[in-house]
Amino acid sequence: MSEEKNITLVITRQDDPESEPYKETFSVPYRQNMNIISALMEIRRNPVNADGEATTPVFWEMGCLEEVCGACSMVINGEPQQSCTSLVDQLEQPIHLEPMTTFPVVRDLAVDRSRMFDSLKKVKAWIPIDGTYDLGPGPRVAETKRQWAYELSKCMTCGVCLEACPNVNSKSDFIGPAPLSQVRLFNSHPTGEMNSSERLQSIMDEEGIMGCGNAQNCVQVCPKGIPLTTSLAALYRDTAVESFKSFFGSDK
Ligand code: SF4
Ligand code: FES
């Protein structure tokens, strides 16, 4: 009879937001084409660590299971990424799983990404519509522009770009590249551009565009391939123009 092949996972765990993190090792049966989530589900099914001791099931978050919701993001072998699309066969063992450090830990691998959603509120990352009545068809958008905007709209607020950015840390208020890129998206919309000044004004400080140090890590890690550094460069220009406009007291 052939011997069962196992995979080893070293997981950074934390029982609650206040407690100290610790590492626990697990050995789970290998199956072909396993992703990290299926390995975690195996631990949940049989919460016994590599020393054979019964333990609590490892806690993590997931939603779509197809790299759309961003909820399953964690640091896998040192790289922030989604655990639903991270395949065991492509990872060196033992596989190290850690929560992202940019966000407060809720429990084990689950973090609280509220700061990203708060930032989206701060930059008004929406198109304001006055009422819910039928407004008729919106302005037409050229197909090339629609395709371009679609790329920016793929952001799933996963937080991986914040995790990779050296300027997003406990000593800085920088909101990070993802919400800034959404300013560019909403300012480019024919209706959204009516509030472009307001959005640009909201990112002119150290929390916004001035907090970027151009490390360029964000664009390398974004799983959606969003051109974050291009967005940031465009926003530098747009905020500079906005400053001139406010200095000279003109909206045009
Ligand atoms: S820009 Fe990319 S890495 Fe950053 S939150 Fe959005 S999808 Fe995630
Ligand atoms: S579960 Fe939604 S991105 Fe992985």
Side-chain angles (χ1 to χ4, degrees):
M1 211 173 95
S2 66
E3 213 175 292
E4 191 181 61
K5 193 173 153 190
N6 275 12
I7 57 169
T8 304
L9 298 128
V10 182
I11 303 181
T12 302
R13 308 199 58 184
Q14 189 170 326
D15 296 340
D16 58 62
E18 272 75 48
S19 61
E20 283 297 310
Y22 61 96
K23 288 189 192 296
E24 193 161 29
T25 305
F26 294 88
S27 179
V28 303
Y30 170 82
R31 290 192 311 275
Q32 227 179 357
N33 302 326
M34 264 180 130
N35 61 359
I36 289 298
I37 298 254
S38 55
L40 288 168
M41 287 168 97
E42 191 58 39
I43 296 171
R44 185 172 65 186
R45 196 183 63 76
N46 181 30
V48 173
N49 66 24
D51 296 327
E53 296 158 349
T55 184
T56 49
V58 174
F59 189 79
W60 78 98
E61 262 196 314
M62 60 181 177
C64 65
L65 296 178
E66 54 180 354
E67 209 174 78
V68 171
C69 73
C72 69
S73 307
M74 57 185 72
V75 181
I76 303 172
N77 283 356
E79 305 279 337
Q81 56 192 289
Q82 282 66 56
S83 49
C84 62
T85 45
S86 176
L87 300 176
V88 164
D89 287 334
Q90 293 171 0
L91 294 166
E92 225 171 86
Q93 290 209 40
I95 299 167
H96 291 263
L97 303 183
E98 298 161 86
M100 291 193 287
T101 53
T102 306
F103 306 94
V105 172
V106 176
R107 186 174 161 190
D108 293 337
L109 300 167
V111 295
D112 178 357
R113 289 177 295 141
S114 298
R115 65 174 287 174
M116 291 197 79
F117 302 108
D118 292 342
S119 300
L120 292 175
K121 286 186 211 159
K122 174 185 153 72
V123 303
K124 297 189 168 47
W126 61 79
I127 308 286
I129 301 287
D130 184 13
T132 54
Y133 45 85
D134 183 5
L135 295 169
R140 291 186 74 83
V141 176
E143 178 56 17
T144 44
K145 189 169 179 189
R146 187 200 64 76
Q147 284 179 11
W148 170 87
Y150 180 65
E151 292 308 311
L152 299 188
S153 76
K154 284 182 183 167
C155 177
M156 54 182 169
T157 328
C158 69
V160 158
C161 57
L162 272 73
E163 179 75 9
C165 175
N167 280 21
V168 177
N169 57 58
S170 56
K171 294 190 179 61
S172 124
D173 294 322
F174 179 43
I175 58 175
L180 291 174
S181 187
Q182 293 304 294
V183 170
R184 189 173 177 226
L185 170 66
F186 285 96
N187 279 5
S188 72
H189 186 277
T191 310
E193 74 178 351
M194 291 193 288
N195 298 84
S196 63
S197 285
E198 228 180 317
R199 289 195 198 91
L200 292 171
Q201 294 283 350
S202 76
I203 60 161
M204 282 192 186
D205 54 9
E206 292 289 326
E207 279 183 43
I209 198 75
M210 301 310 288
C212 172
N214 201 22
Q216 312 223 355
N217 295 7
C218 55
V219 75
Q220 287 170 33
V221 296
C222 175
K224 295 297 182 186
I226 296 172
L228 294 165
T229 45
T230 313
S231 282
L232 290 162
L235 289 170
Y236 268 121
R237 285 193 302 273
D238 294 348
T239 47
V241 171
E242 180 63 27
S243 304
F244 276 116
K245 282 202 298 194
S246 6
F247 184 75
F248 291 107
S250 162
D251 285 342
K252 301 280 171 203

